[in-house]
Amino acid sequence: MAEAVMIVGATSAIARATAAAFAALGHDIYLAGRNADELTRIAADLAIRYQVRAHWGIFVAEDLTSHAAFFNQAMAEMGEMRGVVLAMGMLGDQQAARDFPLGAEVIMVNFTAAASILSHSANYLEARKQGFIIGISSVAGDRGRQSNYPYGAAKAGLSAYLQGLRNRLSHSNVRVITVKPGFVDTAMTYGMAGLFLVASPQYMGERIVRAVNKSADVVYLPWFWRYIMLIIKTIPEAIFKKLKL
Amino acid sequence: MNKLNQPLSGWGRYPVQTCATSRPERYQDLQASSTTQIARGQGRSYGDAALGETVILTERVNRMLAFDSTAGTLRAEAGVTLAEVLEVIVPQGWFLPVTPGTRFVSLGGCVAADVHGKNHHHDGAFSQHIIALELILADGAKVACSATENAALFWATVGGMGLTGIIGEVSLRLIPITSPYMQVRHYAAANLTGVFALFDNAALDDAYSVAWIDSLATGKSLGRSVLMTGHHADAADLPSVMRPAAKSTLSMPFDLPAFVLNPWTVKAFNQFYYSREGHKTQPFFAHYSDYFYPLDGIAHWNRLYGKSGFVQYQCVIPTAGAFAAVTALLEKLAASRRPSFLAVLKKLGAQNQGLLSFPLAGYTLALDIPMRDAGVLALTRELDAIVLAHGGRVYLAKDALLTAQTFRIMYPRHAEWLRIKQAVDPDGRFASSMSQRLDLGVQHG
């Protein structure tokens, strides 16, 4: 079996598809999440479909002091780890998240907790001098908008954090890939108005796995979101601030 | 849970109805809400069984939970398709105990319709191979049921068209195989008398049997057929180089215009098919996917009948009246000059305890009828009358047109079923367009 891949935030549709795509290549899988029932089900399914080892552990994002022990426990179970996929994210009610302390939770999960588990992953992979980190950020982090800026700000922070890690780890032969999904057909977006060019979780999973062996550092999925965001980023702030986005 | 309004239909693409849909991804979200709802797996029932006010799409609750490759048992969430199951179990020497004519159905759908396959005359229907189900009731309770535990609820749920609750998990006994191939043999029959004689000839019997029937042949050739028998081939009997399964890359990219399938083109096809398939009198090997699922190779084959869709009329007639009834049904269909591209005849075994299960000892005939005009309804009413006169019934998984009155005569145990429905779903949370049409709801007042 190929070395294990850890998926943090493993119960979302994108995470499940990504785990499946890695397992299809023969990688053992370690699932980190907070819903024991779902983790059990997803792990059993991966083990049956792909005949890999699939383990899971309860990961409490907000409890930063638990992250080191969590990471070590996963290592102890799986042996060596090839890479880490950070798929954790929380959109929440963005209207409510304008106000604190509720907004702090969104920033905590999407940025602080993410950075924390990435720091442990980075130290481990840096010492091994191989492997990869894939961080699933968001196009929402490319420009702050009134409809979701607490989430967008946290994801912008995550993108910058991944950028810094990439700079640091490039000297240790560790790939750091930032993935920026556009609209994906998941429970988070189901039935939402105004979606267009929606990608399937399976497409996302396959493309995320494929990115490991490609050279791009920042991957927009589907690819055309790079150009949509290029246009959005180019609009002068004087005009942008008046738009209803 | 978020809802999306979208037009849905069954596989026959008639009727089409706009439904509010939810699509849970976690097992715990597979729950009844305060509206009326029906679970829908792959939408492969033909009529209105999986349409309703709210439709719960189970396609993402599709995890396999336990596979014992020594004992041959599988437990999985009901949204898993048979295709996914086969991909896992066949390479490890196991096969489904019962399979319908497509593998693109969910386990939950197989339970809800208590599907049968080409081995029904030996092995019975799907429900007879279930170890246990987990059923999610209207009040949120998760109940295990099987032929030995909560048996009344079990026999109301298999064949119960999803109306007793949401089928959450299914545990199944599998059958062992030593190769993915089938050993198949064809026998041509010049007419209906011939094919009934073939079905009754114990010397020709095999694990699986089904007859393709030329629905446009008339007079002395009425019921002209090719009987296709087979069993799982033993690996030791296979030639050293086997042809792999046909690649499933064909697709119907658009609706076929209605004029393409007319009595002349279908007649020409049937002539060609009869002489080609009828001449395979020597045993031959076929991959299981080509034997069991010939139409799965053509994605969207339901577009063959054009935009207005089609109904599949499938009935079963008890053995005593079967020959007379099938003769009358084929004559009626031929006289209507409606080309049925696909017509299938099969001998079924004894019925099980499923209160609304379809199969009973006799012969089942399945016909596709293009939904081109209002005359189809009149035709199916005439077919219903023939079926009723011979003590038969229509298969709910295919049905879009039966009346409540006819249904009650065809399914004499419906009253027992309704009592169980009343007990487990007193507020009538589970309802479909079919259950409303057939009066399969909770009786108020």
Side-chain angles (χ1 to χ4, degrees), chain B residues 69-317:
Chain B
S69 60
T70 312
T73 59
L74 175 80
R75 182 167 67 92
E77 292 172 341
V80 176
T81 65
L82 297 188
E84 294 172 289
V85 171
L86 289 166
E87 237 171 79
V88 167
I89 66 172
V90 170
Q92 300 193 55
W94 297 96
F95 203 76
L96 296 162
V98 166
T99 176
T102 171
R103 60 191 185 281
F104 301 128
V105 288
S106 69
L107 279 181
C110 291
V111 174
D114 196 11
V115 297
H116 59 274
K118 297 172 173 61
N119 56 345
H120 187 272
H121 59 305
H122 290 297
D123 302 323
F126 198 80
S127 60
Q128 288 155 263
H129 306 271
I130 292 171
I131 299 166
L133 303 174
E134 182 162 276
L135 190 66
I136 300 161
L137 299 181
D139 64 6
K142 293 183 168 74
V143 180
C145 56
S146 68
T148 53
E149 185 183 11
N150 292 316
L153 184 56
F154 177 77
W155 291 115
T157 299
V158 301
M161 305 311 286
L163 296 165
T164 55
I166 302 169
I167 298 159
E169 292 178 6
V170 182
S171 302
L172 202 60
R173 270 183 294 272
L174 306 171
I175 58 166
I177 53 172
T178 59
S179 87
Y181 290 91
M182 306 297 297
Q183 186 153 11
V184 186
R185 193 159 183 177
H186 288 183
Y187 304 89
N191 52 37
L192 201 61
T193 312
V195 72
F196 268 69
L198 290 174
F199 270 120
D200 284 336
N201 185 341
L204 307 184
D205 186 34
D206 209 339
Y208 299 92
S209 72
V210 67
W212 166 85
I213 187 161
D214 179 352
S215 65
L216 285 177
T218 51
K220 277 192 293 187
S221 300
L222 185 85
R224 178 168 75 159
S225 316
V226 179
L227 176 71
M228 304 165 177
T229 65
H231 58 267
H232 293 282
D234 199 319
D237 296 338
L238 293 175
S240 54
V241 181
M242 281 303 300
R243 217 157 25 135
K247 285 235 169 62
S248 309
T249 48
L250 298 175
S251 177
M252 274 295 296
F254 53 84
D255 292 312
L256 205 61
F259 64 82
V260 178
L261 283 187
N262 61 52
W264 293 278
T265 55
V266 174
K267 210 166 206 164
F269 172 83
N270 285 0
Q271 180 62 47
F272 158 77
Y273 191 84
Y274 177 75
S275 51
R276 193 185 70 168
E277 298 301 316
H279 279 102
K280 295 180 178 172
T281 49
Q282 292 306 308
F284 62 97
F285 293 106
H287 192 268
Y288 80 82
S289 62
D290 301 329
Y291 179 74
F292 287 109
Y293 314 114
L295 286 171
D296 280 357
I298 309 164
H300 308 296
W301 68 260
N302 52 349
R303 290 178 177 162
L304 207 60
Y305 293 101
K307 221 175 175 163
S308 49
F310 66 106
V311 293
Q312 187 167 88
Y313 192 85
Q314 182 169 0
C315 58
V316 59
I317 317 288

Side-chain angles (χ1 to χ4, degrees), chain A residues 48-221:
Chain A
I48 292 170
R49 286 184 199 243
Y50 305 106
Q51 288 162 41
V52 296
R53 271 196 315 149
H55 287 208
W56 59 269
I58 295 289
F59 174 69
V60 183
E62 296 86 342
D63 185 4
L64 301 181
T65 54
S66 71
H67 290 188
F70 171 84
F71 196 83
N72 292 336
Q73 171 62 30
M75 286 306 137
E77 281 185 39
M78 304 309 286
E80 301 296 342
M81 195 86 77
R82 183 74 200 168
V84 175
V85 180
L86 179 91
M88 177 172 68
M90 172 188 163
L91 184 57
D93 178 347
Q94 285 297 299
Q95 195 65 36
R98 289 176 176 195
D99 297 319
F100 276 64
L102 200 65
E105 197 188 337
V106 170
I107 291 167
M108 174 73 186
V109 172
N110 291 304
F111 178 66
T112 314
S116 165
I117 193 69
L118 284 178
S119 72
H120 296 291
S121 310
N123 292 344
Y124 168 78
L125 293 170
E126 187 175 45
R128 284 196 85 198
K129 297 205 178 300
Q130 58 172 310
F132 62 84
I133 287 172
I134 299 173
I136 302 184
S137 186
S138 171
V139 296
D142 281 9
R143 193 155 194 180
R145 294 177 293 131
Q146 64 176 349
S147 59
N148 67 358
Y149 64 84
Y151 177 78
K155 287 295 194 182
L158 176 63
S159 293
Y161 192 90
L162 288 163
Q163 199 170 34
L165 273 187
R166 175 154 50 241
N167 190 199
R168 170 185 155 195
L169 296 178
S170 72
H171 309 292
S172 309
N173 189 34
V174 176
R175 293 263 290 132
V176 178
I177 300 157
T178 308
V179 174
K180 295 186 177 178
F183 295 133
V184 186
D185 185 18
T186 65
M188 200 196 261
T189 59
Y190 194 72
M192 217 179 246
L195 301 189
F196 53 91
L197 301 166
V198 178
S200 73
Q202 285 68 32
Y203 170 90
M204 299 298 295
E206 281 157 21
R207 290 305 163 113
I208 288 167
V209 171
R210 191 189 287 189
V212 174
N213 294 316
K214 296 223 166 186
S215 58
D217 297 310
V218 179
V219 182
Y220 286 82
L221 289 177

Side-chain angles (χ1 to χ4, degrees), chain B residues 348-418:
Chain B
L348 296 182
Q351 66 179 313
N352 61 32
Q353 300 166 70
L355 297 177
L356 298 183
S357 278
F358 166 71
L360 52 76
Y363 285 81
T364 178
L365 178 70
L367 309 159
D368 287 349
I369 306 173
M371 200 68 202
R372 286 187 187 157
D373 54 73
V376 172
L377 186 63
L379 173 64
T380 63
R381 293 281 181 268
E382 290 181 293
L383 301 179
D384 289 345
I386 296 168
V387 172
L388 275 182
H390 294 86
R393 59 169 66 132
V394 162
Y395 191 9
L396 296 185
K398 308 287 180 77
D399 175 52
L401 299 171
L402 270 187
T403 65
Q405 192 190 1
T406 309
F407 162 76
R408 281 195 292 271
I409 306 170
M410 289 180 168
Y411 287 85
R413 301 187 74 180
H414 72 276
E416 281 172 75
W417 184 88
L418 279 171

